[in-house]
Amino acid sequence: MTRLRYPAIAGTLFIVVAALLANLSFGPSKIDLISVVTALVAFDADDYDHFVVAYQRLPRALIAVFLGAMMACGGAVLQGLTRNPLASPGILGINSGAMLFVIVGAFIFNLPPEWQGVAAIAGGFFGFISCLFVTRMTGMSKDPRGLALILSGAVLSMLYSSVANAIMLASPSRRSDFLSWASGNINHVYVERLIDFWWLGVLGLGVLMMFARPLTLVTLGREKAASAGVDVSRVTWISVCVVVVSVSSAVAICGPIGFVGLVTPHIVRPLVGASFTHALPANALLGAAICLLADLTARTVFAPHVLHTGIMMDLFGGLTFAIIVKRYYLSPGVREASR
Amino acid sequence: MIVTRALDGRRVVLFESGLKVRVGDLAALGGLLTAILAAAIVSLTTGTTPITLGDAAASLWRGPDSGDLSFAIWDVRLPRILMGVMVGGSIALTGAMLQSLSQNPLADPGLLGLSQGSMTALMVIFVLFPATPQGVLPLAALGGGLAVGALLIFLVGRGNAGGMAILLMGIAVETSLSSMTSILVLYTPPEVSLALAEWMAGSLFRSSWDSLATFTPWFALGVPAILLLGRSLRSYDMGDQVAMSLGENLPFSKPIILVTAVLLTSAAVSAVGPLAFLGVMAPHLANFISPTSGRARLMLSVAVGALLVVCADMMTRGFAGDIPLPTGLAIVMLGVPMFIVTLRLRAMRRMRGQ
């Protein structure tokens, strides 16, 4: 298994570069690869193709890379810590909580746009903590399969997005500014928010990478990690907080987009293994590639319509979710073991 | 009519036909019907143009197309209230039925993706085959709902797989289907897609006498059918094996009940769109009002569902000036806290049982 580690990371790196170039080249007007590359290395302000690449497609691509990396790493850490194959930022209430707080902040407290990131992070914590609270209240700690955690997360996400939608409905004049963001859209105009918040995510990934070894030990077994001298609760709480902050900063940029955080760790794990030292970079790369490809599909397949990336992700996210439920919870072996 | 006591000491009304009804259930049903009537009166008289009770009654008495108020009363408010009562009753009944049959106190046509299946089928017809006549729509919805039901049975298998996993599978199916309907909406002109978005969120806003006329036959046939089929629901509540040993022909009756339930849901979805959580909430509230089982529980659920939707619809109307809040959103906002309380009560019962 671990023999595949470096080839897998090299392979995902290749996929990311290919997806990035495809993303910059395809669109309403097809721009050939040579102009794409020259636009990146020797930008010429008079060339219209260069303008499109640099000011419309590159911002989108960078947002997609940021989103993919944050969500995939967040999903990997959450799946490891909760030991639940269905855990992901989208299902544990972080995305919808962040969305709710951004909407409440903007519509009710009239927060200026600079505060959107703060609101998103507060909302991410609120969403995740309320999910844990409801799960504990409903006796999840007794459920060995951890399904109540996922169920309460799914149900709370419905509640938060309904409340956010109701708030948006109530003020039609400002609704259109947020509507496309709230349904999970990667849009080049959001690049200003990327400029505001990118450091939060990068810092978060840095902290997770520093914690990679103890974090791996904790996800492999709490008792073993403690006997190896790891402060289990400290590692758990710091990494959860870092995940919430980096995921929420991604939500602040392009809205609640699920699926990447759920599926990427499932693809990475068999290739790279459980060690976060290698799994985190692989997740970041593959998550970025998935988001780039989803964005490309959303823009080109339904042309001239441009689909919201969040809708595209939900379509495949639901299917993957069903496959994972089937594989982990409904296969005969698991059913016997859980009785 | 004789009032007597049953073996367990509860008071029972014995009709000459041999029908037995508990006094407590009768009282609860009477109370709920009164509450529905009261909610309907409040709903009829409040809104963007308040109407006094006397004027409303006069307008109702004079009939449609009579004077200034008749538009608000006859063309806007009355159809909405009637639709709310019928749709609420239908979805609540389906929820109660699914909960008994699946032995899962959290089952709900919305959460299991049945409503979304109907919605997607309707969207396909609406967007890709716009010339299809109105009357066919409930049939298309039925096809979609049944397809999702079959898919769930196929995915989950026939064994007792654990209720939570079924629900999660339903949520997964629902997520994919609802994004498919969103994609279909792209291909409609903007003025149509706005109305479709409202419908997709579940809304009584566009209820009219026409949509009532389409839904009424399904309601009038479906609800009594399920109540009749629910004759022996008391034995279903105790599980498949007990029901079989009590003489229920499960392989025969279960599919019929399920299809009828999906039929009713589909007709409701084609009338007002999907209303999630109503099916979970109503039976639990009914149980809270009067702890009972069997057909009485179903009837109480119908009444509670109707009351909930009429009240939720009232809430949505005065929401923000002229903007109506989709009824579906209001029900999610009411329903999720209720759902969590249900989970909590269930956990407490499980702990006490151990």
Side-chain angles (χ1 to χ4, degrees), chain B residues 133-220:
Chain B
Q134 281 272 319
V136 182
L137 288 181
L139 288 178
L142 174 66
L146 285 179
V148 169
L151 182 70
L152 278 181
I153 290 173
F154 168 73
L155 285 174
V156 172
R158 294 185 149 273
N160 188 11
M164 294 281 200
I166 300 173
L167 276 185
L168 287 177
M169 197 58 107
I171 290 173
V173 171
E174 208 221 312
T175 311
S176 283
L177 287 176
S178 72
S179 63
M180 269 156 75
T181 53
S182 303
I183 294 174
L184 284 169
V185 170
L186 269 185
Y187 292 94
T188 55
E191 67 276 7
V192 178
S193 64
L194 205 67
L196 286 183
E198 206 172 75
W199 188 28
M200 276 161 62
S203 175
L204 291 174
F205 187 55
R206 274 164 214 276
S207 301
S208 61
W209 290 104
D210 283 345
S211 60
L212 266 178
T214 318
F215 183 60
T216 309
W218 301 89
F219 176 81

Side-chain angles (χ1 to χ4, degrees), chain B residues 49-69:
Chain B
T49 43
I51 298 171
T52 62
L53 194 56
D55 288 347
S59 174
L60 278 181
W61 178 251
R62 281 199 302 270
D65 300 323
S66 60
D68 303 340
L69 294 175

Side-chain angles (χ1 to χ4, degrees), chain A residues 137 147 169 307 315 319 326, chain B residues 155 168 176 179 186 326 344:
Chain A
M137 207 177 82
L147 281 170
L169 269 178
L307 199 63
L315 183 60
L319 295 176
K326 177 94 184 146
Chain B
L155 285 174
L168 287 177
S176 283
S179 63
L186 269 185
R344 167 83 183 143

Side-chain angles (χ1 to χ4, degrees), chain A residues 86 91 134 136-139 142-143 145 147-148 150-152 154-156 158-159 161-163 165-167 169-172 175 301-303 305-307 310-312 314-323 325-326 329-330 335 339, chain B residues 106 111 154-157 159-169 171-180 182-183 186-188 194 276-277 319-320 323-326 328-329 332-334 336-337 339-341 343-344 347 350-351:
Chain A
L86 290 169
I91 203 82
V134 166
R136 173 149 305 175
M137 207 177 82
T138 53
K142 312 282 187 297
D143 180 4
R145 298 185 297 169
L147 281 170
I150 305 300
L151 188 68
S152 51
V155 164
L156 283 175
M158 278 189 218
L159 176 65
S161 46
S162 292
V163 175
N165 278 322
I167 293 173
L169 269 178
S171 27
R175 181 168 175 242
V301 172
F302 301 93
H305 305 283
V306 175
L307 199 63
I311 295 178
M312 200 71 223
D314 272 353
L315 183 60
F316 294 110
L319 295 176
T320 325
F321 197 84
I323 293 169
V325 173
K326 177 94 184 146
Y329 292 109
L330 294 172
R335 230 182 281 170
R339 273 196 187 145
Chain B
L106 306 174
L111 282 185
F154 168 73
L155 285 174
V156 172
N160 188 11
M164 294 281 200
I166 300 173
L167 276 185
L168 287 177
M169 197 58 107
I171 290 173
V173 171
E174 208 221 312
T175 311
S176 283
L177 287 176
S178 72
S179 63
M180 269 156 75
S182 303
I183 294 174
L186 269 185
Y187 292 94
T188 55
L194 205 67
F277 282 107
F319 171 56
I323 308 149
L325 176 72
L329 286 190
V332 169
M333 286 192 260
L334 272 175
V336 171
F339 187 76
I340 290 167
V341 170
L343 283 172
R344 167 83 183 143
R350 211 187 313 134
M351 267 183 277

Side-chain angles (χ1 to χ4, degrees), chain A residues 248-264:
Chain A
S248 307
S249 65
V251 174
I253 294 167
C254 49
I257 295 182
F259 173 64
V260 214
L262 173 70
V263 73
T264 320

Side-chain angles (χ1 to χ4, degrees), chain A residues 269-285:
Chain A
R269 207 172 296 124
L271 294 174
V272 180
S275 160
F276 278 117
T277 323
H278 299 89
L280 282 176
N283 267 301
L285 287 175

